[in-house]
Amino acid sequence: MAAARRLRHDLHRRPETAWAERETAATVREILDTAQIDWRRCADTGTVATLAPQAGGRHVALRADLDALPIAEQTGLAHASQIEGTMHACGHDGHTATLIAVAHWLGAHRDALPGPVTLLFQPAEEGGHGAARMIEDGCLDAPAGSPHARAVDVIFGWHNWPALPQGLALCPDGPVMAANGTFRVELHGRGGHASQPEATRDPVLAAAAVTVALQQVVARRVAPQVPAVLAVTSLEAVSAATVTPEQAALAGSIRVPDLAVRDEVFAAIRQIATDTAAAHGVHAEVTTAARYAATVNHRGPAAELRAALSSVVGAGWADHAVGAPVMASEDFSYYLQQIPGAFALIGGGPEPPARAAALHSSRYDFNDALIDPAARVLIELTGAPPPPAPDIETG
């Protein structure tokens, strides 16, 4: 895994955000060329590589995401980001390095593959709907130029999860990660002098009231058995200390287990924000935006992924403390809406996990110790010969 770790650190030093992953894509493609693995461009900065396209068994796809986040890194590490204001704060550098390690092994053993294997190096997972664009561009279709090749039958993916200690994982049947969406409430009032509140219609007060009132959505509009999160994450009301402004705004995100609950929560946000604003003499304009659907595992592939985890990590891998679905979201959901597949969260944090920097934190760094076991799990799912200890990359 030494080469994969070096690659991971190199990718970490030069992160690229969604739809700008040009150097990252070039690096992936160069490595595939060196390994004599055929690939094609997909969704601009994405790459689709297929091995053994004529093999008779089922066609398995494995996915890694490429993009970083607009966050200023504060780790102080030797391999810290060299791009100001951008960092790999979600571990996609590690996911990419892991799939490259898998590519090396499968490339060296392509003649032993029971069926085709497609490797998806996907851009723009972080809110850019990159999976949808990859699907639109045919990433799950039969490889062109292979007359007897078939479309992808099943897909597997994973995400590092620092909130779980290393050696544990989460891979349920059904939902593993939540659906999400965002909302924005703009409040239009009447500005004026702070000494004459009766002459104004204060949008700042209304924004505060709406923020508090929205907390009843989860507490009173959603059944307690349904996992849901509503978070107001920003407030805007630029003004001087003695001036009531003309407008204010608030925004936030929601996490829900399915699209039906998302629709209910969005409707409640619109009603509560509009009515609360009206009670303060202020007009509210509410906009909502759906982002990703829930990531829902298919029963058969999820059982396969759990078996691979047991084989590689050990029988005690299953975490029973973290409930599913977790409230983060993933655009891997797009693939699972198209074909059978499964997704796992693989723990990479210390014990206790509370000591770990969270995903999307400026102090987060991917745990390199995950590359080897995650790669072995993915290789096992393809039916390829298992790598011997200690190093997959020895071939």
Side-chain angles (χ1 to χ4, degrees):
M1 285 298 110
R5 286 193 294 271
R6 287 194 297 271
L7 172 62
R8 205 282 292 182
H9 291 186
D10 180 51
L11 295 175
H12 194 91
R13 291 187 188 96
R14 46 187 181 91
E16 298 170 300
T17 54
W19 300 120
E21 309 96 338
R22 304 203 177 280
E23 287 190 25
T24 305
T27 298
V28 167
R29 294 163 184 171
E30 181 180 350
I31 293 170
L32 293 173
D33 282 338
T34 301
Q36 297 183 321
I37 297 173
D38 292 335
W39 59 269
R40 73 169 181 88
R41 184 189 304 270
C42 186
D44 191 19
T45 51
T47 302
V48 176
T50 301
L51 298 106
Q54 305 294 337
R58 70 172 183 173
H59 189 166
V60 177
L62 308 173
R63 176 270 213 163
D65 35 19
L66 305 175
D67 54 327
L69 286 156
I71 296 173
E73 182 162 354
Q74 299 183 53
T75 63
L77 295 167
H79 60 268
S81 171
Q82 298 174 358
I83 309 300
E84 185 175 355
T86 305
M87 73 171 288
H88 271 293
C90 206
H92 297 183
D93 51 343
H95 301 165
T96 300
T98 299
L99 196 56
I100 286 293
V102 171
H104 276 297
W105 180 261
L106 297 183
H109 298 82
R110 68 189 78 198
D111 293 339
L113 288 173
V117 177
T118 288
L119 309 177
L120 305 179
F121 294 90
Q122 179 209 302
E125 189 282 326
E126 296 288 357
H129 303 268
R133 287 273 299 276
M134 292 279 285
I135 293 168
E136 290 170 5
D137 205 4
C139 73
L140 302 179
D141 297 344
S146 300
H148 302 294
R150 300 187 321 280
V152 174
D153 295 307
V154 63
I155 187 167
F156 296 99
W158 72 290
H159 203 293
N160 77 97
W161 204 250
L164 286 175
Q166 188 173 342
L168 296 182
L170 185 68
C171 183
D173 294 338
V176 60
M177 300 182 79
N180 68 346
T182 58
F183 63 90
R184 180 176 174 85
V185 182
E186 295 183 355
L187 299 154
H188 303 275
R190 183 192 307 152
H193 202 290
S195 68
Q196 295 178 290
E198 76 284 0
T200 68
R201 293 295 179 265
D202 189 351
V204 178
L205 180 60
V210 170
T211 299
V212 173
L214 287 179
Q215 305 313 304
Q216 71 170 281
V217 173
V218 172
R220 290 294 181 268
R221 298 292 190 93
V222 178
Q225 296 83 4
V226 176
V229 173
L230 186 155
V232 176
T233 54
S234 71
L235 288 167
E236 307 164 16
V238 179
S239 187
T242 60
V243 178
T244 297
E246 294 285 334
Q247 61 187 33
L250 58 98
S253 71
I254 65 168
R255 311 285 170 152
V256 290
D258 56 53
L259 301 187
V261 176
R262 184 168 68 189
D263 291 343
E264 292 174 9
V265 170
F266 276 160
I269 290 171
R270 286 189 288 269
Q271 178 192 8
I272 290 170
T274 300
D275 293 350
T276 303
H280 287 76
V282 168
H283 172 68
E285 294 181 359
V286 183
T287 56
T288 59
R291 288 168 66 93
Y292 296 158
T295 303
V296 182
N297 283 347
H298 296 249
R299 185 181 299 274
E304 290 183 63
L305 185 43
R306 289 193 293 269
L309 285 164
S310 294
S311 174
V312 173
V313 181
W317 66 267
D319 180 79
H320 301 290
V322 175
V326 300
M327 290 291 99
S329 303
E330 244 287 349
D331 80 345
F332 196 83
S333 56
Y334 284 110
Y335 301 116
L336 297 180
Q337 290 173 326
Q338 297 292 318
I339 61 172
F343 193 80
L345 304 179
I346 301 181
E351 183 65 65
R355 294 169 46 196
L359 297 175
H360 292 209
S361 163
S362 61
R363 293 179 172 81
Y364 164 84
D365 187 47
F366 178 86
N367 183 353
D368 288 331
L370 288 181
I371 295 174
D372 183 83
R376 291 174 185 275
V377 167
L378 297 178
I379 290 167
E380 181 156 326
L381 291 165
T382 70
D391 197 343
I392 292 171
E393 293 170 324
T394 62

